[in-house]
């Protein structure tokens, strides 16, 4: 095979299949593991920056330990600050039906200042139909904005918080409320982010909004809601998205600095379990060079064993 047919000299171009014009590519013929050569990891990272989310089918050989070993090649895994450390010391987070629901557009952990830069998600139990995930390209969404709206976004800052607003969701169950209450009891976070961050590796301008936004800085609530809806409409427009239909053993890796995502909740009571490793990110920087600022950062002690059953 000629050198021009290879990406970084290691991955055949034919093995990279775009899944939508603006975001998302499936990478074929690679068996993921913690032992992959550096040049293949570097090529995968390059593809991730190009496509924002990349997918791998048939990775059923990965167990939690190997998933974590592979994830370590992308940086330092982050332990979820809102979960009870007594429930496990690994960086793997299990997301199961009945737990956290994320059927709203969001950036993972955007209520933190240095929120994760990369997420690696593995499909463990997947319903036969439904349970897809949709990602949007927030760099493309920024480019879609007319120049005056780009300038407006460049100047805006938003407060992100993990204080959950149940009004976002229709009919939350009691179990879901308990999950969120427990997380909120454990930790409270509030961070001011620029609405436009400059990507540390690509230099692209990306929009930083989603579920955890509580308000815009120095903007009244009702004006802020209109601005939020305006920018979110560009982020979630179908042209900027890709939808992945999971199969058991799939792996999806996304750049959390340049995407938002939405877990489609259409699988009723069927079991669905995915496992995720989050990789530490850097503090976002706005277009004027100002960094995000954590306003509230409280991690409380886990409850005494006697208080749980
Ligand atoms: Fe998420």
């Amino acid at each position: 095979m000629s050198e021009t047919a290879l990406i970084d000299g290691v991955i055949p171009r034919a093995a990279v299949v775009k899944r939508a014009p603006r975001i998302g590519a499936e990478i074929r013929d690679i068996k993921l593991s913690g032992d992959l050569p550096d040049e293949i990891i570097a090529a995968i990272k390059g593809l991730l920056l190009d496509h924002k989310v990349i997918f791998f089918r048939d990775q059923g050989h990965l167990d939690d330990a190997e998933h974590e070993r592979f994830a370590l090649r992308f940086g330092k895994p982050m332990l979820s600050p809102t979960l009870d450390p007594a429930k496990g010391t690994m960086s793997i987070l299990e997301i199961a039906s009945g737990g956290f629901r994320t059927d709203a557009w969001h950036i993972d952990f955007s209520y933190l200042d240095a929120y994760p830069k990369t997420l690696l998600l593995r499909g463990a139990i997947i319903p036969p139909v439904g349970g897809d995930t949709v990602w949007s390209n927030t760099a493309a969404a920024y480019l879609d904005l007319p120049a005056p709206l780009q300038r407006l976004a460049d100047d805006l800052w938003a407060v992100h918080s993990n204080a959950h607003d149940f009004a976002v969701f229709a009919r939350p169950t009691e179990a879901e409320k308990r999950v969120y209450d427990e997380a909120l009891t454990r930790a409270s976070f509030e961070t001011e982010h620029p609405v436009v961050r400059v990507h540390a590796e690509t230099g692209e301008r990306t929009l930083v909004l989603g579920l955890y936004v509580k308000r815009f800085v120095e903007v009244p609530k009702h004006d802020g809601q209109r601005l939020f809806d305006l920018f979110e409409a560009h982020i979630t427009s179908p042209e900027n998205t890709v939808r992945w239909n999971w199969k058991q053993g799939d792996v999806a890796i996304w750049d959390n600095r340049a995407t938002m995502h939405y877990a489609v909740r259409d699988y009723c009571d069927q079991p669905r379990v995915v496992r995720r490793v989050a990789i530490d990110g850097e503090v976002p920087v706005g277009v004027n060079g100002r960094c995000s600022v954590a306003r509230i950062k409280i991690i409380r002690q886990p409850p005494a064993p006697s208080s749980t059953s």
Side-chain angles (χ1 to χ4, degrees):
M1 188 169 295
S2 74
E3 195 63 20
T4 54
L6 297 173
I7 293 168
D8 291 349
V10 287
I11 295 180
R13 287 197 183 278
V16 179
V17 180
K18 284 180 73 70
R19 298 301 299 251
R22 295 186 182 175
I23 177 173
E26 181 183 342
I27 317 298
R28 296 181 175 165
D29 307 322
I30 290 185
K31 186 177 179 183
L32 302 180
S33 85
D35 297 322
L36 282 173
D38 288 345
E39 54 270 31
I40 291 188
I41 295 290
I44 290 174
K45 287 179 178 174
L47 289 166
L48 178 59
L49 291 175
D50 287 347
H51 298 284
K52 319 300 187 204
V53 54
I54 51 178
F55 308 105
F56 301 82
R57 295 272 195 212
D58 304 320
Q59 306 297 323
H61 60 280
L62 292 177
D63 56 13
D64 282 354
E66 196 60 30
H67 183 176
E68 192 172 44
R69 283 186 69 236
F70 173 63
L72 278 169
R73 306 293 298 278
F74 289 78
K76 181 169 168 271
M78 185 194 87
L79 293 174
S80 175
T82 55
L83 292 182
D84 184 349
K87 290 181 179 170
T89 55
M90 293 179 66
S91 59
I92 299 265
L93 172 67
E94 179 170 293
I95 305 166
S97 341
F100 282 96
R101 58 190 297 174
T102 47
D103 51 337
W105 285 95
H106 66 285
I107 296 167
D108 281 341
F109 300 102
S110 73
Y111 45 80
L112 303 177
D113 48 359
Y115 61 79
K117 63 178 181 180
T118 309
L119 284 299
L120 302 97
L121 189 67
R122 181 173 116 245
I125 300 172
I126 302 298
V129 181
D132 294 356
T133 305
V134 189
W135 282 265
S136 70
N137 178 341
T138 53
Y142 178 83
L143 291 175
D144 269 353
L145 294 171
L149 292 184
Q150 287 181 341
R151 290 194 291 274
L152 172 62
D154 288 347
D155 279 343
L156 282 171
W157 283 63
V159 176
H160 296 235
S161 162
N162 71 323
H164 198 68
D165 177 4
F166 281 109
V168 171
F169 298 122
R171 298 185 297 278
T173 65
E174 288 308 309
E176 286 166 348
K177 285 183 178 176
R178 271 199 302 279
V179 169
Y180 279 101
D181 285 347
E182 187 185 328
L184 277 177
T185 305
R186 191 164 304 287
S188 299
F189 297 100
E190 201 169 284
T191 298
E192 285 181 19
H193 287 300
V195 167
V196 179
R197 73 178 286 183
V198 180
H199 195 289
E201 293 182 81
T202 65
E204 292 172 303
R205 296 183 178 191
T206 68
L207 293 170
V208 182
L209 288 171
L211 170 66
Y212 298 112
V213 170
K214 290 295 170 279
R215 60 188 169 82
F216 290 101
V217 177
E218 296 178 8
V219 176
K221 181 179 175 186
H222 295 292
D223 291 333
Q225 186 63 51
R226 289 175 171 84
L227 289 175
F228 181 86
D229 293 344
L230 171 67
F231 294 124
E232 286 270 314
H234 285 272
I235 292 167
T236 61
S237 95
E239 288 81 359
N240 291 328
T241 67
V242 64
R243 180 167 178 148
W244 186 248
N245 175 228
W246 288 91
K247 295 188 191 329
Q248 197 159 314
D250 286 357
V251 168
I253 306 174
W254 66 93
D255 184 343
N256 203 37
R257 302 164 293 184
T259 57
M260 295 202 336
H261 58 283
Y262 182 110
V264 180
R265 196 179 176 91
D266 56 356
Y267 48 96
C268 301
D269 296 329
Q270 297 179 91
R272 181 181 186 274
V273 177
V274 291
R275 294 198 169 93
R276 185 184 72 187
V277 179
I279 303 297
D280 272 350
E282 62 282 327
V283 176
V285 179
V287 297
N288 62 0
R290 246 178 84 204
C291 296
S292 300
V293 182
R295 296 297 184 198
I296 298 174
K297 205 172 195 174
I298 303 169
I299 301 177
R300 303 176 183 88
Q301 292 300 310
S306 58
S307 67
T308 58
S309 58

